[in-house]
Amino acid sequence: MLYALICTDKAHSEDLRQKTREAHLDFLSGLGDRLKGAGPFMCDDLVSPTGSLVIIEAANRDEALAVANEDPYSLAGLFESVEIRPWNWVLKNPDM
């Protein structure tokens, strides 16, 4: 099953995001084929990130939550909230 991790940054957290970015990217790379896509949400001015969207394959919601909690951004306290939603990849899914 696929899960979308919809993460919203705390206000004024740009420095924390930048300091932990490399560890976050390494963590995501370490997920291997379980990672289906990821990237930041941006402010309307397209300059500053405001959160992250991470799409992963997990056996269930608890496993997806464990991945979200292990993310260095989460461990550093970057996120104001993390929403975990089952996601069905219908269009342009390379596995179909």
Side-chain angles (χ1 to χ4, degrees):
M1 181 73 202
L2 296 178
Y3 289 86
L5 312 179
I6 303 164
C7 311
T8 303
D9 291 0
K10 292 177 180 174
H12 312 293
S13 59
E14 295 85 5
D15 288 343
L16 180 57
R17 175 178 272 274
Q18 190 57 39
K19 287 178 188 174
T20 54
R21 185 173 188 269
E22 187 173 339
H24 165 73
L25 294 176
D26 288 344
F27 171 77
L28 292 180
S29 292
L31 293 175
D33 291 340
R34 292 174 54 200
L35 177 67
K36 302 303 179 183
F41 291 111
M42 303 299 290
C43 286
D44 288 338
D45 64 9
L46 304 176
V47 174
S48 301
T50 61
S52 299
L53 172 63
V54 179
I55 300 172
I56 60 166
E57 186 172 4
N60 53 50
R61 188 183 190 289
D62 289 340
E63 186 178 301
L65 176 61
V67 170
N69 288 339
E70 294 167 8
D71 187 320
Y73 278 171
S74 182
L75 294 172
L78 175 65
F79 299 135
E80 180 71 31
S81 65
V82 176
E83 181 180 358
I84 299 172
R85 299 183 65 178
W87 188 67
N88 186 17
W89 194 348
V90 176
L91 299 176
K92 295 197 177 193
N93 182 339
D95 294 335
M96 295 179 94

